């Protein structure tokens, strides 16, 4: 047998597998990706915390709504809640039939089609009554919807109002 034949299968060597690639140290692209994901995570946590903190007045108002037992108390609670996002001078003008209409305008249009006449009448005349009204269920339901869904005014107008009130005290 001739061993010098270059095409002989006896001259074949096994396949040499390279050493596995180490996962550390990471390539620079992975460092960039980790930094971007970390920054996005921190930004989301900060944004959610700010939203949760800015809605503290809503949580407190819903808690107080449970113990309100007159139409006047519910209307007062709605006014105090509205004062957190709107100026005092704007809300002071809302009396009588303009008060329930203003409340309705602050709601998103898809949340409710209109205010029932009973709720409208209770809100418009609540300040002038000192007795309990027979049924507050509808008014309480409207107040809960309004507190959770009303639109906020620009924060600058509310901050400017608070600053001027603090100066006058």
């Amino acid at each position: 047998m001739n061993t010098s034949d270059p095409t002989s299968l006896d001259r074949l060597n096994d396949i040499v597998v390279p050493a596995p690639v180490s996962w550390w140290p990471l390539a620079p692209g992975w460092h960039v990706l980790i930094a971007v994901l970390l920054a996005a995570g921190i930004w989301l946590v900060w944004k959610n915390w700010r939203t949760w903190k800015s809605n503290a007045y809503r949580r407190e108002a819903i808690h107080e709504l449970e113990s309100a037992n007159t139409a006047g108390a519910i209307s007062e609670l709605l006014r105090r809640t509205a004062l957190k996002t709107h100026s005092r001078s704007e809300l002071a003008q809302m009396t009588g039939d303009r008060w329930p209409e203003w409340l309705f305008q602050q709601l998103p249009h898809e949340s409710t089609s209109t205010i029932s006449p009973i709720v409208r009448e209770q809100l418009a005349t609540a300040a002038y009554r000192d007795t309990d009204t027979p049924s507050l269920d509808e008014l309480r339901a409207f107040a809960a919807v309004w507190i959770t869904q009303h639109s906020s005014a620009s924060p600058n107008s509310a901050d400017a109002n608070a600053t001027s009130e603090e100066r006058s005290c």
Side-chain angles (χ1 to χ4, degrees):
M1 187 146 119
N2 189 0
T3 59
S4 63
D5 184 20
T7 58
S8 171
L9 295 177
D10 292 337
R11 296 179 57 119
L12 288 178
N13 292 327
D14 285 338
I15 298 174
V16 177
V17 179
V21 177
S22 174
W23 63 275
W24 195 263
L26 297 176
W30 284 108
H31 290 284
V32 170
L33 180 65
I34 290 170
V36 167
L37 290 176
L38 185 63
I42 290 171
W43 179 76
L44 282 173
V45 166
W46 175 75
K47 186 177 178 187
N48 286 338
W49 177 78
R50 241 182 62 185
T51 302
W52 180 81
K53 191 133 168 103
S54 69
N55 285 327
Y57 76 97
R58 293 179 196 250
R59 292 188 299 275
E60 184 179 335
I62 289 293
H63 181 67
E64 285 185 37
L65 182 62
E66 296 169 1
S67 62
N69 54 7
T70 63
I74 293 174
S75 183
E76 177 189 346
L77 177 63
L78 289 173
R79 280 194 187 270
R80 284 189 287 132
T81 304
L83 278 173
K84 295 293 184 180
T85 58
H86 295 81
S87 68
R88 185 174 296 276
S89 60
E90 178 184 0
L91 289 175
Q93 299 171 5
M94 303 303 156
T95 59
D97 289 332
R98 292 191 321 189
W99 172 237
E101 189 59 37
W102 184 87
L103 287 172
F104 177 70
Q105 289 173 356
Q106 302 307 310
L107 286 174
H109 292 292
E110 60 271 357
S111 66
T112 181
S113 59
T114 184
I115 301 177
S116 73
I118 296 169
V119 171
R120 184 179 298 276
E121 189 267 332
Q122 286 176 330
L123 287 171
T125 62
Y128 309 110
R129 294 184 183 178
D130 52 347
T131 60
D132 291 345
T133 52
S135 174
L136 291 176
D137 296 335
E138 230 179 308
L139 179 59
R140 196 180 305 273
F142 172 77
V145 167
W146 190 86
I147 290 168
T148 58
Q149 297 182 5
H150 73 275
S151 62
S152 300
S154 64
N156 294 340
S157 65
D159 290 342
N161 184 39
T163 306
S164 65
E165 287 176 4
E166 289 172 0
R167 288 185 203 145
S168 66
C169 290

